[in-house]
Structure formats: structure tokens, C-alpha cells
């Protein structure tokens, strides 16, 4: 904390509601051969049919993975949301700076955040920064945020509309949103926004959106463990 301003280096993800299970994959897949009798799969033990889930994942029969729904409440810096919203298979509702006064909560990279980019685009890696670099990032970032929020509040107190005053606020400000998706959309998101050595296709996400993705994956895996296991076993490729 710094007076009324809060500095954070984490993100939070909460599963608000869900209608998602491995059984959803089974009844959706088996309608092609069983018709209405496939509804019996809703009450069936998915463990007995994990081979089918693996087959669908391996051979990329993707639509059975779309018959599920998960809604997450995400609190993260605005720059994370701008990357997140490129995933147009999600549905979003974000808090609005037009209708409410935005709280002074800002993102400052933590001491474990790699700071130095080495190499060229497509080939670069990130390396740890020196103590001096971390100190510079923390001090310069906090100072910028303090000045920006001071300008914001001065305009509000002068009667300026919120939608105008918010223009001075940086993308390091925390926002919150609901994000709703199905399992297939989430697998596409995870394949692009997590860096894993066992992935068939490499990905190089910005660390802050990867922090969101990791929490979403953990919560999804608890809902659909067989689907998640098949996703991992088949190279983390979205079917």
C-alpha cells in the first residue's frame, strides 16, 4: 500500500459458475451414432469412456468439447484484458470507467518477473533483471501511477465526467471482468497463453496473461479431469 494507492503483482481468477463435466463430451459425441439415446451418457460414468475422450482429442473432433460452460471472474491489469479479448470465442463483460470511479489499484512487476528481453522477435527469451533494474522498474512505475491517479482525481473533483477523466489512467490499472467460455475455447486459450515444454506447438505468452491462464486451467482441470488429461497427453493442442 502507498497511502490510498494499492500496488499488486498478482492476478486473481475465480470460477463463478459452471456447467461443465467430462460427461458433456460423451453425450455430445455419441449423438452422431445413438441419436436421442445418447442422453443416457449424462448419468454414465465418464471414466469408462475416457478412451473416447482421448480419441476425440487426438483426432481433433472438436465440437463435442463445446457443450459446456464456465464463467470466470478475473481481476488483472488492463493490459492483460486487451490481450485476453483477442480470444473472440469468449463472452466478456468488464467494469466501466464511464459509470464508476476507478479504484487506485495498480500492477507493479514482482521480484520474480523477468525484465530483460534478449534476441529478436520470434527468437527472444527473457532474463532476470539486476537488482538495480528491478529497483528502477518499481520506483518509476509507482511514481507514474501516483501522478496519473492524482490527475484523475483532480479532474473528477473539478466536475469533469468520468469518461473524460479516465483518459489519463495507464493500462497498469487493475480492472475486473466476467469471461465465459466452453472447454474448446478454453483449450485454445491455454494452448496460446501458457508456455509448456510438452506442447506440440511452442507459445511465448506475456507472463501476466499466463498467470491468469494457469489459474483458469487449474479450475477447469478439477471440473473435467479426463478432458484435461487428454489435452495434456495429446500435446496441448486445441481439438
Amino acid at each position: 500500500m502507498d497511502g490510498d494507492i494499492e500496488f499488486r503483482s498478482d492476478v486473481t481468477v475465480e470460477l463463478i459458475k459452471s456447467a461443465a463435466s467430462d460427461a458433456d463430451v460423451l453425450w455430445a459425441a455419441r449423438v452422431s451414432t445413438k441419436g436421442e439415446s445418447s442422453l443416457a451418457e449424462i448419468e454414465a460414468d465418464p471414466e469408462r469412456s475416457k478412451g473416447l475422450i482421448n480419441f476425440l482429442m487426438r483426432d481433433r473432433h472438436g465440437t463435442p468439447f463445446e457443450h459446456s460452460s464456465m464463467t470466470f471472474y478475473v481481476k488483472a491489469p488492463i493490459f492483460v484484458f486487451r490481450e485476453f479479448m483477442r480470444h473472440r470465442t469468449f463472452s466478456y463483460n468488464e467494469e466501466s470507467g464511464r459509470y464508476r470511479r476507478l479504484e487506485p489499484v495498480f500492477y507493479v512487476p514482482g521480484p520474480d518477473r523477468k525484465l530483460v528481453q534478449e534476441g529478436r522477435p520470434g527468437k527472444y527469451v527473457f532474463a532476470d533483471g539486476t537488482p538495480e533494474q528491478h529497483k528502477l522498474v518499481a520506483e518509476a512505475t509507482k511514481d507514474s501511477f501516483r501522478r496519473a491517479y492524482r490527475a484523475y482525481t483532480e479532474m473528477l473533483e473539478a466536475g469533469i465526467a468520468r469518461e473524460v477523466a479516465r483518459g489519463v489512467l495507464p493500462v497498469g490499472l487493475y480492472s475486473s471482468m466476467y469471461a465465459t467460455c466452453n472447454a474448446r475455447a478454453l483449450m485454445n486459450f491455454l494452448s496460446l497463453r501458457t508456455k509448456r515444454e510438452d506442447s506440440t506447438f511452442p507459445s511465448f505468452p506475456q507472463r501476466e496473461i499466463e498467470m491468469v491462464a494457469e489459474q483458469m486451467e487449474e479450475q477447469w482441470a478439477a471440473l473435467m479431469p479426463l478432458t484435461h488429461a487428454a489435452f495434456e497427453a495429446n500435446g496441448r493442442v486445441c481439438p
Side-chain angles (χ1 to χ4, degrees):
M1 297 289 293
D2 189 324
D4 293 331
I5 296 181
E6 180 181 353
F7 299 116
R8 296 176 51 180
S9 59
D10 64 334
V11 300
T12 56
V13 178
E14 181 181 356
L15 181 66
I16 298 300
K17 66 175 184 175
S18 65
S21 71
D22 292 315
D24 296 330
V25 181
L26 299 175
W27 60 256
R30 286 185 167 141
V31 72
S32 61
T33 57
K34 291 187 174 184
E36 65 184 21
S37 64
S38 68
L39 291 174
E41 299 294 339
I42 294 176
E43 304 297 331
D45 178 10
E47 186 72 32
R48 294 172 49 209
S49 299
K50 64 181 180 181
L52 173 58
I53 293 175
N54 189 72
F55 161 75
L56 296 169
M57 191 76 69
R58 184 195 69 207
D59 286 14
R60 304 190 72 184
H61 297 291
T63 52
F65 298 101
E66 296 178 6
H67 297 272
S68 56
S69 178
M70 293 161 279
T71 297
F72 298 93
Y73 178 73
V74 183
K75 194 167 184 65
I78 289 173
F79 68 80
V80 170
F81 288 179
R82 297 304 162 260
E83 287 198 334
F84 206 133
M85 290 175 182
R86 296 182 67 182
H87 296 267
R88 294 182 295 276
T89 50
F90 282 64
S91 296
Y92 303 103
N93 279 93
E94 184 181 356
E95 69 175 280
S96 173
R98 296 184 67 195
Y99 304 121
R100 62 170 297 183
R101 178 179 176 133
L102 298 170
E103 296 300 316
V105 183
F106 295 95
Y107 177 79
V108 177
D112 58 342
R113 176 56 158 101
K114 296 181 184 297
L115 296 182
V116 180
Q117 180 178 317
E118 299 175 344
R120 59 184 176 81
K123 291 284 188 180
Y124 60 76
V125 296
F126 283 88
D128 295 327
T130 65
E132 293 75 20
Q133 287 173 321
H134 278 280
K135 183 173 184 291
L136 174 61
V137 168
E139 291 180 352
T141 302
K142 289 179 180 180
D143 182 60
S144 176
F145 291 159
R146 291 187 192 101
R147 287 185 283 109
Y149 200 75
R150 188 183 311 122
Y152 174 67
T153 56
E154 286 175 355
M155 283 191 280
L156 293 181
E157 290 165 2
I160 305 300
R162 287 183 291 266
E163 66 181 45
V164 176
R166 67 177 174 170
V168 300
L169 294 174
V171 293
L173 181 78
Y174 275 74
S175 187
S176 61
M177 72 171 178
Y178 293 110
T180 299
C181 63
N182 60 49
R184 190 184 192 188
L186 182 56
M187 284 186 279
N188 175 260
F189 176 78
L190 296 176
S191 71
L192 295 168
R193 301 300 184 177
T194 58
K195 181 177 176 62
R196 291 281 295 270
E197 296 301 323
D198 55 347
S199 295
T200 299
F201 302 104
S203 186
F204 305 95
Q206 183 165 339
R207 177 56 190 152
E208 286 77 13
I209 197 170
E210 185 179 35
M211 290 159 59
V212 172
E214 288 170 348
Q215 292 189 44
M216 294 176 74
E217 181 167 2
E218 181 180 2
Q219 295 175 53
W220 167 59
L223 292 173
M224 303 179 70
L226 299 181
T227 302
H228 179 257
F231 175 62
E232 290 205 305
N234 289 278
R236 298 176 65 84
V237 176
C238 177

